Amino acid sequence: MKWMLFGPETYIFLVAFFFLILSMWRGPHSEKDHVLALALSGLGVVISLACLGAEGLLFAGAYRLDLFSQVFKVALSFGLFLIVCLCANVEEIKRRYRLEFYFFLFVCTLAMMLLVSAQHLLTILLALELSSYSLYILVTLRRDEDMGLEAGIKYFLTGIFASSIMIFGMALLYGATGAVYLQDLAQVLPEVMGTPAAVIGLLLTFGGFFFKLAVYPFHFWVADTYQGAPDQVTAYIATASKVAVIAVVIKLIAAVDQNSTYLIHVLAVLSIASMTLGNLAAMVQKDMKRLLAYSTIAHSGYVLIGILSGGTAGYASAVFYALALLVMKFTVFLVVVVLSPRGKNLEREELAGLHGRSPLLALALMVSIFSLAGIPPTIGFMGKFYVFMGAMDKGLFVLVLIAMINVVVSLYYYLLIIKAAYLGHSWETPPAVHLPQPMRWLTGALIATMMVAGFYPTPLIRLSEAVARSLM
Amino acid sequence: MIVPFGHVLMLAGMLFLLGVFCTLTRRNLVMIILGVEVMLNAAAIAFVGAALHWQSLEGQAFVLFIMAIAATEVSVGLALIVYAYRRSGSFDPSSCNLLR
């Protein structure tokens, strides 16, 4: 039964189709739809877990299932489940669009699941486009039409520009090598690495992925899109979408980078540029989502260090970092979504007095921000430690030094957030935050995950290493 | 193949640069999307040439899918543009300056 291998994707596709039919059949019914989406996405996590051991090739070798793709599929469906948890009351999206909102969320997750398994350039291209187009529409759905529209147009224009550059890069790469499968590309590419068509093609192809990853020269869209999109969509772009793109970049680099120092130099420069730019720009931001956008750019820089270190250790550290990012970014966004005033974005100053209003949320914010900043004992610290260790083993001392300086710089704006939440006073006392019981459990579980994985990361490190080995 | 592969690549490259130029310099949303279409077509030409060069059909398959992608892009893009035109009454992307 080869179709059983395709389980998670088929399931998510059917759910998306179900929401499409539902949106045409009857009007939205917020509460019921949310419970439905929650149950269906929860079942999606179970199905992806059940298919964790699937291995094999599908569709004439264009689609590969191994531990790498299956672990990332679990992470993606888990990310989708977490985002749906936040959608109990999507104030920022008009009621009549809520069913379509779920439809696009599920389609986007489906596309990302296809992306982590794809082995053929065409499959990769189509999966990437499918996820991008769902996101363009999701971003534009914001109730505040001017903001949503502007974010959508900026995201769309830069997105199609980057993806057409990527398609042209793929054309050059195909022209230079004649290979379309990643494993063929890995064999042919070292011979033609000296020709301009191959080098330019490779760089342009990576441009499209770096756009999605928000790495330095392709980062223009990030801040505006994060700020203008509905909070839940921003959370989705920052967590699930980033995890998928990190996965596909790891896979591509692992395929093409056969001891080519050239690519490593390019990646190192991009990594340094994005960390520095992200951290410096984040310092002056007042809007929380915009601040998190620049911190995302910086984190893409750290992930690139893990990827360019290469070898099992390097890729394993990047996988670990991606999984850590999913948890810690989501926790920050949980706080942002709960606290956002209706129809507006959360400002950093509005966090003032959070400790008094809701100690649990303040704790969640503190742990996740410490984790993003890389302060022990949190999962984020272990992630950074692991990435830098891998790079040191490869002798990339200067790169690690610059990254460490960047970590120190980033402490400034991270600590400002915590200062606002714990020490800030607001003139008029806002009411205490009411958090429903399930959300309390979720918040507690996330805090526990970040702390436990910080103290005892061994199982997660083992898992990342196994994932990285399945890639080689 | 009568035309050498290098010439095809040159043509595709020039068309691509034209598209990039159009995308970056025009101040009209429709023209920007048109520029991107030109870039996609440049990639399609390169794919067809490469498919002939390597005597494999995969490049041709790529072109079919690129056409589909271009159609999707136009439909989503035009929907966005019409929406933007209804809101602001202009095709000028520089009217998008709310977020900063």
Side-chain angles (χ1 to χ4, degrees), chain A residues 141-411:
Chain A
L141 281 180
R142 185 164 179 157
R143 190 190 286 266
D144 179 347
E145 284 162 348
D146 287 329
M147 239 181 181
L149 183 65
E150 181 178 337
I153 282 189
K154 281 179 173 167
Y155 189 24
F156 177 72
L157 290 181
T158 42
I160 56 172
F161 187 65
S163 70
S164 55
I165 285 180
M166 180 183 76
I167 296 175
F168 191 71
M170 283 181 174
L172 288 183
L173 211 54
Y174 175 59
T177 59
V180 277
Y181 289 95
L182 287 186
Q183 62 267 31
D184 296 347
L185 212 56
Q187 281 175 358
V188 185
L189 207 56
E191 299 163 22
V192 294
M193 204 50 197
T195 58
V199 174
I200 297 174
L202 203 57
L203 288 183
L204 294 185
T205 308
F206 275 115
F209 296 102
F210 289 158
F211 164 78
K212 297 290 283 180
L213 190 59
V215 171
Y216 158 63
F218 308 97
H219 66 275
F220 308 106
W221 60 279
V222 188
D224 289 338
T225 306
Y226 274 40
Q227 190 187 353
D231 287 343
Q232 284 83 355
V233 177
T234 313
Y236 187 79
I237 298 178
T239 54
S241 151
K242 283 289 170 305
V243 170
V245 181
I246 292 173
V248 75
V249 170
I250 294 175
K251 192 169 66 180
L252 279 176
I253 299 266
V256 298
D257 166 39
Q258 307 291 341
N259 302 318
S260 101
T261 51
Y262 180 74
L263 201 59
I264 294 202
H265 286 311
V266 174
L267 287 180
V269 169
L270 294 186
S271 153
I272 291 173
S274 21
M275 311 192 266
T276 316
L277 182 131
N279 282 328
L280 291 182
M283 281 186 180
V284 292
Q285 303 303 328
K286 298 258 184 319
D287 188 306
M288 273 299 280
K289 278 182 354 188
R290 220 174 154 81
L291 190 153
L292 287 170
Y294 282 108
S295 116
T296 300
I297 300 176
H299 280 282
S300 304
Y302 301 138
V303 172
L304 273 191
I305 296 181
I307 297 176
L308 70 88
S309 308
T312 314
Y315 299 138
S317 69
V319 171
F320 186 96
Y321 207 90
L323 299 179
L325 264 184
L326 178 70
V327 181
M328 49 201 197
K329 269 275 155 61
F330 176 77
T331 313
V332 183
F333 271 105
L334 184 145
V335 178
V336 172
V337 167
V338 172
L339 291 182
S340 277
R342 199 189 153 141
K344 280 198 298 197
N345 281 347
L346 185 70
E347 301 272 319
R348 195 179 61 205
E349 299 310 321
E350 286 170 340
L351 286 172
L354 178 63
H355 179 57
R357 291 168 69 198
S358 168
L360 183 66
L361 279 184
L363 182 67
L365 186 69
M366 184 173 76
V367 173
S368 54
I369 291 287
F370 274 169
S371 189
L372 283 174
I375 293 176
T378 51
I379 192 171
F381 167 73
M382 285 318 296
K384 283 207 175 64
F385 182 69
Y386 199 19
V387 165
F388 293 164
M389 280 287 284
M392 284 301 275
D393 283 347
K394 294 279 170 178
L396 301 166
F397 176 70
V398 180
L399 191 59
V400 173
L401 187 70
I402 296 175
M404 292 302 287
I405 295 173
N406 262 296
V407 170
V408 176
V409 169
S410 71
L411 272 180

Side-chain angles (χ1 to χ4, degrees), chain B residues 41-82:
Chain B
N41 283 332
I45 290 179
F47 267 120
V48 173
L52 220 57
H53 178 65
W54 294 105
Q55 295 292 317
S56 75
L57 276 178
E58 269 144 338
Q60 310 259 2
F62 259 101
V63 176
L64 288 179
F65 280 99
I66 287 176
M67 285 177 187
I69 288 172
T72 324
E73 180 199 296
V74 167
S75 56
V76 174
L78 282 184
L80 269 178
I81 291 174
V82 169

